[in-house]
Amino acid sequence: MKNDTGFFGHPGGLSTLFFTEMWERMSYYGMRALLVLYMTASMQENGLAITVASATAIYGLYTGAVYFMGLPGGWIADRLLGGQRAVWYGGIVIMCGHIVLAIPGDHTFFIGLILVVLGTGLLKPNIGAMVGQLYSSEDERRDSGYTLYYMGINIGSIIGYFVCGYLQTNMGWHWAFGAAAVGMGLGLIQYRITLPKLETVGQIAPQPLSPKATRVSWGVIVAFLVALALVSFSIMTGLLTINPVSIAQNVAIGITAIFCIYYAAIFFFSNLNGDEKKRLLALLLVCIASICFWAGFEQAGSSLNLFGRDLTDRMIGTFEIPAAWFLSANSIFLVILSPFFAALWINLSKRMINPSYGFKSALGLIIMATGFIVMFFAAQFAASGLKVAPYWLIATYFLHTVGELCLSPVALSAVSKLSPKRMAGQMMGVFVLTYSIGNVVAGLLAGNFDPEKPAEMPDLYMQITLFSIAIGIVIFLLALKTRKWEKLAEKPEDDHPGAVIDANEPIKQN
């Protein structure tokens, strides 16, 4: 597709993926902004009246599962379906999930969440991978293509926040959930109509299994879905009682164990040379920073969302700002600030100033922590019985966005550069687990922020601040040592049998 310039100088297939992802993110973020608000709303407000601790634990499990399911979703595309069909079927499952969410009822709500998780796990990693496949390895348009694609993510999230937030306030919860289904439906229609622009990209599975292995794999997938359906049925009928907080705690421990075991297995049993092991140790610092960062950053959809609803003055004259609209600040700031940060790193590099991955990650974590200093003071006003002005939340989201721009793209670049080339795909999969861990931990932390107990909030925000800054300082100090190890990535890697896997294109947390 080197000569294809049908979409702002890029391959026409990018427009197919751009708009599909835009509408999918509209549906995902629009619905996601309402989850904790809906679960904690009283029966009189047509909510589920779930406790804050349980609601935020469920929220953490949901967002963590979305990223975790991207691992099997990517495998299914690579071995069974191919990217095109994986995105199509994933989108259909997502739309069905939102349709079920739009049907009032306790049971339909949780069934809808499960469907959205399964569909997103199938769609999200594969649509990002196909963007990279539009370009040859020599095509210099790749980076700017991902910039355009990333713009679609943020445009979609902004649309979702505003549309679903407005409908929830003026029409009701299930109208907003229904709007998310319409958004995904528009994305699917657009995808099917413009699918020929992708040509052969993602048309077939790149590493297909043998017929026998394919049958076994589909059998395992069907068995998993049946088991999931039986467990869900047991919970909904009361045959099985669960505690969301306990489950979230166990899941966090389980995913962390998987991360540690897999990382250790690669480090000790993959026949790595000394330089490769040092680079993996440097990358481990980035992974730790990523877990801590997302545990704080993802308060946006849970504790900060509740703060915006219950403790923030949302009136402008006679107009009440929907609580979900505050979450759009992150996407708006990302659109505005991304070009400046891209220029910043380039200009620093030209001046021979190139901070290490560890330093940038530590800086992002510390800047994110300063956002909670803002919330510490806001919570003190709230504890005195006052509703605080909206600019406290906006300032927090601004600092969180700056931290994200310091850490998120840098972390993905670190995975691509520091991983052994023959294991780049596996290491990107392992790194995605840091998103899952961070999201589940975020849900557990948010359970402590009860809007009905504002007096406890200042100390809780300060605890997050101090912990995050402490971790950031430790990572910074260790990065002074690992900086030399990162430079080993600039040396040619030793020949290894089968070293044919190139680095995957980065898949943003968003």
Side-chain angles (χ1 to χ4, degrees), residues 125-410:
N126 298 308
I127 194 170
M130 282 198 292
V131 172
Q133 294 167 18
L134 293 170
Y135 305 92
S136 67
S137 57
E138 299 84 16
D139 197 328
E140 297 179 352
R141 298 175 297 170
R142 178 187 298 260
D143 288 348
S144 60
Y146 266 103
T147 301
L148 271 175
Y149 172 73
Y150 180 47
M151 194 67 68
I153 291 174
N154 288 292
I155 292 172
S157 63
I158 293 170
I159 294 171
Y161 289 135
F162 278 92
V163 171
C164 294
Y166 176 83
L167 288 174
Q168 179 270 313
T169 301
N170 294 278
M171 302 290 289
W173 300 104
H174 299 286
W175 283 90
F177 293 141
V182 172
M184 189 67 254
L186 291 173
L188 285 169
I189 292 170
Q190 180 277 145
Y191 179 77
R192 177 54 66 180
I193 291 174
T194 62
L195 188 61
K197 292 183 178 180
L198 292 176
E199 298 179 5
T200 59
V201 170
Q203 199 169 52
I204 61 173
Q207 297 176 301
L209 298 173
S210 66
K212 181 179 179 180
T214 299
R215 289 192 296 271
V216 172
S217 298
W218 280 118
V220 171
I221 292 170
V222 170
F224 167 76
L225 295 175
V226 170
L228 181 63
L230 290 175
V231 171
S232 301
F233 177 79
S234 300
I235 294 171
M236 293 173 187
T237 56
L239 295 175
L240 185 63
T241 303
I242 63 169
N243 182 334
V245 176
S246 296
I247 290 178
Q249 291 171 343
N250 291 327
V251 167
I253 293 171
I255 299 177
T256 302
I258 292 172
F259 171 83
C260 293
I261 292 170
Y262 208 118
Y263 210 98
I266 291 175
F267 187 87
F268 290 109
F269 304 112
S270 297
N271 195 28
L272 304 181
N273 60 39
D275 287 353
E276 289 172 328
K277 288 186 175 182
K278 288 180 179 179
R279 295 204 305 266
L280 277 187
L281 288 174
L283 181 59
L284 183 60
L285 285 184
V286 177
C287 292
I288 294 171
S290 178
I291 292 171
C292 296
F293 178 86
W294 296 113
F297 183 91
E298 284 298 329
Q299 296 302 310
S302 49
S303 67
L304 295 180
N305 206 3
L306 293 172
F307 192 97
R309 182 189 69 180
D310 298 332
L311 302 174
T312 301
D313 182 6
R314 296 186 283 116
M315 297 303 298
I316 300 179
T318 58
F319 176 73
E320 183 179 34
I321 304 172
W325 283 14
F326 289 115
L327 276 70
S328 66
N330 172 245
S331 296
I332 294 171
F333 286 137
L334 278 171
V335 172
I336 295 171
L337 297 176
S338 291
F340 293 99
F341 271 81
L344 172 65
W345 302 133
I346 291 173
N347 288 327
L348 285 177
S349 180
K350 287 179 179 178
R351 290 170 172 77
M352 307 302 289
I353 303 172
N354 191 16
S356 68
Y357 289 126
F359 174 82
K360 291 177 182 177
S361 298
L363 180 63
L365 181 58
I366 292 171
I367 292 174
M368 183 277 295
T370 62
F372 288 107
I373 295 178
V374 175
M375 289 308 301
F376 168 76
F377 291 108
Q380 285 187 320
F381 285 113
S384 67
L386 300 174
K387 284 203 170 185
V388 304
Y391 58 72
W392 291 98
L393 274 176
I394 300 301
T396 298
Y397 288 135
F398 173 80
L399 290 168
H400 283 192
T401 303
V402 173
E404 180 184 2
L405 287 168
C406 287
L407 182 140
S408 184
V410 166

Side-chain angles (χ1 to χ4, degrees), residues 453-476:
K453 302 175 183 177
E456 298 177 1
M457 285 190 173
D459 288 341
L460 292 169
Y461 282 126
M462 186 52 67
Q463 288 173 18
I464 292 180
T465 300
L466 295 176
F467 177 79
S468 299
I469 290 176
I471 296 296
I473 291 172
V474 170
I475 291 174
F476 170 75

